[in-house]
PDB file of all heavy atoms in Angstrom:
ATOM      1  N   PRO A 322     -70.312  81.923  20.406  1.00 97.00           N
ATOM      2  CA  PRO A 322     -69.035  82.185  21.011  1.00 97.00           C
ATOM      3  C   PRO A 322     -67.875  81.985  20.053  1.00 97.00           C
ATOM      4  O   PRO A 322     -67.809  80.985  19.286  1.00 97.00           O
ATOM      5  CB  PRO A 322     -68.947  81.157  22.144  1.00 97.00           C
ATOM      6  CG  PRO A 322     -70.363  80.972  22.553  1.00 97.00           C
ATOM      7  CD  PRO A 322     -71.164  81.066  21.277  1.00 97.00           C
ATOM      8  N   THR A 323     -66.949  82.935  20.035  1.00 97.00           N
ATOM      9  CA  THR A 323     -65.821  82.860  19.118  1.00 97.00           C
ATOM     10  C   THR A 323     -64.738  83.817  19.613  1.00 97.00           C
ATOM     11  O   THR A 323     -64.984  84.801  20.277  1.00 97.00           O
ATOM     12  CB  THR A 323     -66.260  83.291  17.681  1.00 97.00           C
ATOM     13  OG1 THR A 323     -65.058  83.304  16.854  1.00 97.00           O
ATOM     14  CG2 THR A 323     -66.831  84.726  17.629  1.00 97.00           C
ATOM     15  N   THR A 324     -63.507  83.441  19.280  1.00 97.00           N
ATOM     16  CA  THR A 324     -62.359  84.314  19.561  1.00 97.00           C
ATOM     17  C   THR A 324     -62.052  85.245  18.392  1.00 97.00           C
ATOM     18  O   THR A 324     -61.235  86.090  18.432  1.00 97.00           O
ATOM     19  CB  THR A 324     -61.089  83.536  19.899  1.00 97.00           C
ATOM     20  OG1 THR A 324     -60.851  82.607  18.851  1.00 97.00           O
ATOM     21  CG2 THR A 324     -61.240  82.786  21.233  1.00 97.00           C
ATOM     22  N   LYS A 325     -62.776  85.017  17.270  1.00 96.00           N
ATOM     23  CA  LYS A 325     -62.589  85.863  16.084  1.00 96.00           C
ATOM     24  C   LYS A 325     -63.470  87.113  16.264  1.00 96.00           C
ATOM     25  O   LYS A 325     -64.576  87.160  15.807  1.00 96.00           O
ATOM     26  CB  LYS A 325     -62.958  85.142  14.829  1.00 96.00           C
ATOM     27  CG  LYS A 325     -62.097  83.923  14.570  1.00 96.00           C
ATOM     28  CD  LYS A 325     -62.189  83.477  13.104  1.00 96.00           C
ATOM     29  CE  LYS A 325     -61.306  82.270  12.876  1.00 96.00           C
ATOM     30  NZ  LYS A 325     -61.969  80.983  13.147  1.00 96.00           N
ATOM     31  N   THR A 326     -62.995  88.088  17.012  1.00 95.00           N
ATOM     32  CA  THR A 326     -63.827  89.165  17.469  1.00 95.00           C
ATOM     33  C   THR A 326     -63.629  90.468  16.686  1.00 95.00           C
ATOM     34  O   THR A 326     -64.348  91.433  16.921  1.00 95.00           O
ATOM     35  CB  THR A 326     -63.610  89.463  18.950  1.00 95.00           C
ATOM     36  OG1 THR A 326     -62.251  89.860  19.131  1.00 95.00           O
ATOM     37  CG2 THR A 326     -63.857  88.217  19.796  1.00 95.00           C
ATOM     38  N   ASN A 327     -62.640  90.545  15.805  1.00 94.00           N
ATOM     39  CA  ASN A 327     -62.337  91.783  15.053  1.00 94.00           C
ATOM     40  C   ASN A 327     -61.944  92.946  15.991  1.00 94.00           C
ATOM     41  O   ASN A 327     -62.030  94.086  15.593  1.00 94.00           O
ATOM     42  CB  ASN A 327     -63.505  92.250  14.193  1.00 94.00           C
ATOM     43  CG  ASN A 327     -63.886  91.235  13.125  1.00 94.00           C
ATOM     44  OD1 ASN A 327     -63.051  90.483  12.645  1.00 94.00           O
ATOM     45  ND2 ASN A 327     -65.140  91.216  12.795  1.00 94.00           N
ATOM     46  N   ASN A 328     -61.581  92.656  17.174  1.00 93.00           N
ATOM     47  CA  ASN A 328     -61.219  93.739  18.130  1.00 93.00           C
ATOM     48  C   ASN A 328     -60.159  93.168  19.067  1.00 93.00           C
ATOM     49  O   ASN A 328     -60.415  92.201  19.798  1.00 93.00           O
ATOM     50  CB  ASN A 328     -62.480  94.190  18.892  1.00 93.00           C
ATOM     51  CG  ASN A 328     -62.216  95.381  19.819  1.00 93.00           C
ATOM     52  OD1 ASN A 328     -61.059  95.638  20.167  1.00 93.00           O
ATOM     53  ND2 ASN A 328     -63.257  96.093  20.142  1.00 93.00           N
ATOM     54  N   THR A 329     -58.963  93.708  19.013  1.00 93.00           N
ATOM     55  CA  THR A 329     -57.838  93.126  19.769  1.00 93.00           C
ATOM     56  C   THR A 329     -58.073  93.101  21.243  1.00 93.00           C
ATOM     57  O   THR A 329     -57.451  92.321  21.971  1.00 93.00           O
ATOM     58  CB  THR A 329     -56.505  93.860  19.478  1.00 93.00           C
ATOM     59  OG1 THR A 329     -56.739  95.252  19.657  1.00 93.00           O
ATOM     60  CG2 THR A 329     -56.045  93.645  18.064  1.00 93.00           C
ATOM     61  N   VAL A 330     -58.925  93.977  21.773  1.00 94.00           N
ATOM     62  CA  VAL A 330     -59.139  93.938  23.225  1.00 94.00           C
ATOM     63  C   VAL A 330     -60.245  92.947  23.667  1.00 94.00           C
ATOM     64  O   VAL A 330     -60.429  92.745  24.837  1.00 94.00           O
ATOM     65  CB  VAL A 330     -59.421  95.357  23.863  1.00 94.00           C
ATOM     66  CG1 VAL A 330     -58.244  96.277  23.650  1.00 94.00           C
ATOM     67  CG2 VAL A 330     -60.757  95.946  23.344  1.00 94.00           C
ATOM     68  N   VAL A 331     -60.922  92.347  22.699  1.00 95.00           N
ATOM     69  CA  VAL A 331     -61.989  91.395  23.056  1.00 95.00           C
ATOM     70  C   VAL A 331     -61.480  89.981  22.930  1.00 95.00           C
ATOM     71  O   VAL A 331     -61.193  89.499  21.831  1.00 95.00           O
ATOM     72  CB  VAL A 331     -63.221  91.628  22.193  1.00 95.00           C
ATOM     73  CG1 VAL A 331     -64.327  90.662  22.593  1.00 95.00           C
ATOM     74  CG2 VAL A 331     -63.755  93.065  22.361  1.00 95.00           C
TER      75      VAL A 331
END
Side-chain angles (χ1 to χ4, degrees):
T323 177
T324 53
K325 298 199 179 89
T326 63
N327 298 329
N328 186 337
T329 50
V330 298
V331 181

